[in-house]
Amino acid sequence: MPDAASPTSVPTGRAPQAQPWRLMGIAVSPMTYRRWLNFRANRRGYWALWIFLPIMLLSMAAEFIANDKPILVWYEGAPYVPVLFTYPETEFGGEFELEADYRDPFVQDLIDEQGWMLWPLIPFSYETVDFELDSPPPTAPDARHWLGTDDQGRDVAARVIYGLRLSILFGFALTVMSSIIGVVAGAVQGYFGGLIDLLAQRFIEIWQGLPFLFILIILSSVIVPGFFTLLFLLLLFSWTTLVGVVRAEFLRARNFDFIRASRALGVSDWGIMLKHVLPNAMVATLTFMPFILTGAITALTSLDFLGFGLPPGSPSLGELLQQGKANIQAPWLGMTGFFVLAALLTLLVFIGEAVRDAFDPRKLWSGSAPPPEESEPVTQAKPKPAPQGAE
C-alpha cells in the first residue's frame, strides 16, 4: 500500500505535467523545437552545416595543422611549445639570442641530441618559402607539397587553410557589425516614421548610389588596406542591407493593439522596440544573415583578386585566384582557389536555405509537431454528462 505522503497517492485532479522540450539536452520552447525540426527537414542544409562546422574549427586551429614551427619540443626533460611561445636559440644550446629557426639543420641536430620534436601535419606556414624545391616555383603537387607551391615557393595547402580562416572571420565580423547597424537604423526609421524616416530613406538612397569600387581605389592609394581597415571600408557600404527589411517589420508592427497598450501603460519607446517589436523583426534578420555572410566573403575575395584587398603576402583565396590567372602554366593554383571558394559558398548557401525554411512562418506550424522527448502523455478530462431533465 503506497505511503499516504507519497505524491502518487494524492489525487490532484490535474493531468501529469509534460517534460520540457529539449534540444541536445537544453530546454527550449516548442517554437524553437519546431524551427529546429524544419531546419533538419532540409537535408541539404542540415548536412552542409555538419560539413561546414569541422572545416571552420580546423581552420581556426591552422597553426596546429600547418606551421614551420613544431607543435611540441621535448628538450632535456622539459616541454616547449614553439607554436604558442617564442624561444631563443640559446634555450636549445645554440649561439644566438634570436628566435630559434626550427627548420635549420643545426638547430634540429641540437634538439635531437637531447630530445625530439613533434611537427604539424603540414610543416609549412602560409609565408614559409621552401628553398629546397627541385624546380623553380610554382611546382606541381607532390608528396612534399600536397597542393603544390605558388609562384614564390610557398605551400598552397597551408595558404588555403589560413585563407579559409581569414575569409570566415572577416565574413562573420562584417556580417555581425553590418547587421547590428542595419537593425538599429531600420528600427528607428520604422518605429518613429515621419520626418526621421523620410530623411533617412533619402540618405540611404544617395549612399547606395555612390561608386563603392572607385571610392575604395581612391582610399587604397592613400592608406594601405589591412584587415580592420578593409573591414571598416566594407562596413560603410554593407550596413544598408537589412535596413529595408527591419524598417518594414517595424512599420507593420508599430500600430498593433499590444503596442498601443504598451504605450498606454507608460512603457518607453525604446522598451517597446527592444522587448516587443524587435523579436518579430529578428526572424527576417536571421533569415538574411547567412546570405550576407556569403556576400562578405565574395567581396573580400573579389577585392583581393583585383589587388585592392589585403596587403601582399596575406593568405587569401582571392590572391590565390589572381596567381592562377597570372600563371596559366600552373593550373593547380586556379583550380584549388576556385574549388575551395565554390565549396565554401555552396555550403553557406545551403545553410542559408535551411535557416530560411526554419523561420518561414508558413512552415512553422504546417504540421503537427511531434511530442518532446521523454514526455508523459497529457490526458484531458472528459466532460461530465448533463443530468437528465436539466434542459
Side-chain angles (χ1 to χ4, degrees):
M1 182 177 181
D3 185 11
S6 175
T8 58
S9 62
V10 179
T12 60
R14 297 180 182 177
Q17 186 177 3
Q19 298 293 330
W21 300 73
R22 293 190 175 276
L23 179 61
M24 299 181 183
I26 303 175
V28 296
S29 64
M31 182 175 294
T32 303
Y33 191 80
R34 164 55 72 179
R35 285 170 177 168
W36 166 251
L37 293 180
N38 287 341
F39 180 89
R40 195 173 61 180
N42 190 320
R43 307 303 297 176
R44 185 170 58 184
Y46 177 76
W47 288 110
L49 175 65
W50 288 110
I51 296 174
F52 172 74
L53 287 178
I55 293 175
M56 183 183 68
L57 294 177
L58 289 176
S59 66
M60 296 302 146
E63 284 81 6
F64 295 90
I65 300 175
N67 207 326
D68 56 359
K69 300 177 183 179
I71 299 177
L72 179 65
V73 173
W74 189 267
Y75 182 75
E76 293 184 347
Y80 298 87
V81 189
V83 73
L84 298 178
F85 304 100
T86 302
Y87 302 102
E89 185 179 308
T90 55
E91 191 75 24
F92 306 105
E95 301 177 355
F96 300 101
E97 293 287 345
L98 301 176
E99 182 181 358
D101 183 7
Y102 301 94
R103 298 180 59 83
D104 188 353
F106 175 72
V107 176
Q108 293 181 358
D109 292 339
L110 290 176
I111 297 176
D112 291 338
E113 291 177 0
Q114 301 292 334
W116 46 267
M117 293 185 294
L118 177 63
W119 285 90
L121 188 63
I122 302 175
F124 301 96
S125 182
Y126 70 91
E127 56 185 358
T128 304
V129 178
D130 190 359
F131 295 100
E132 301 178 3
L133 297 175
D134 297 332
S135 59
T139 59
D142 54 19
R144 183 179 176 85
H145 300 280
W146 300 344
L147 297 178
T149 61
D150 62 3
D151 55 2
Q152 298 185 26
R154 300 170 297 191
D155 188 81
V156 174
R159 295 186 65 82
V160 165
I161 296 175
Y162 283 89
L164 272 175
R165 181 177 68 177
L166 185 64
S167 299
I168 293 174
L169 289 178
F170 186 91
F172 274 118
L174 183 60
T175 301
V176 171
M177 297 175 67
S178 61
S179 298
I180 292 175
I181 299 176
V183 168
V184 172
V188 172
Q189 287 183 234
Y191 184 81
F192 294 103
L195 185 61
I196 296 178
D197 185 29
L198 179 63
L199 294 178
Q201 281 297 104
R202 301 294 82 76
F203 171 77
I204 291 176
E205 292 173 0
I206 296 173
W207 191 256
Q208 290 179 334
L210 295 177
F212 161 69
L213 184 59
F214 292 156
I215 294 177
L216 190 62
I217 293 174
I218 295 173
L219 294 177
S220 299
S221 62
V222 179
I223 58 177
V224 178
F227 182 88
F228 294 101
T229 306
L230 199 60
L231 181 64
F232 173 74
L233 294 178
L234 289 176
L235 181 62
L236 290 177
F237 295 91
S238 62
W239 63 271
T240 59
T241 305
L242 289 176
V243 173
V245 177
V246 178
R247 172 179 172 269
E249 291 292 331
F250 271 75
L251 283 173
R252 182 180 64 88
R254 68 174 184 171
N255 292 323
F256 285 169
D257 292 338
F258 71 93
I259 300 297
R260 295 179 179 177
S262 300
R263 291 199 193 101
L265 291 174
V267 182
S268 63
D269 290 334
W270 291 104
I272 295 175
M273 293 169 62
L274 292 176
K275 295 181 180 180
H276 301 292
V277 187
L278 184 59
N280 296 325
M282 289 304 296
V283 174
T285 301
L286 294 174
T287 303
F288 273 91
M289 286 185 68
F291 302 101
I292 298 176
L293 176 60
T294 58
I297 295 176
T298 305
L300 176 64
T301 305
S302 303
L303 292 176
D304 288 336
F305 179 79
L306 296 175
F308 301 112
L310 297 172
S314 301
S316 171
L317 299 179
E319 190 264 350
L320 186 61
L321 291 173
Q322 197 278 334
Q323 286 201 31
K325 173 179 173 295
N327 298 274
I328 304 298
Q329 77 281 3
W332 58 87
L333 295 176
M335 293 177 62
T336 300
F338 169 77
F339 284 114
V340 170
L341 182 63
L344 177 61
L345 295 180
T346 301
L347 292 176
L348 292 176
V349 169
F350 288 166
I351 295 174
E353 292 178 351
V355 172
R356 181 190 60 192
D357 293 344
F359 287 92
D360 190 350
R362 296 171 299 180
K363 297 181 180 180
L364 190 57
W365 301 110
S366 58
S368 59
E373 299 177 357
E374 303 178 359
S375 63
E376 300 178 2
V378 179
T379 60
Q380 184 178 3
K382 297 182 179 180
K384 295 182 179 180
Q388 297 180 356
E391 298 180 355

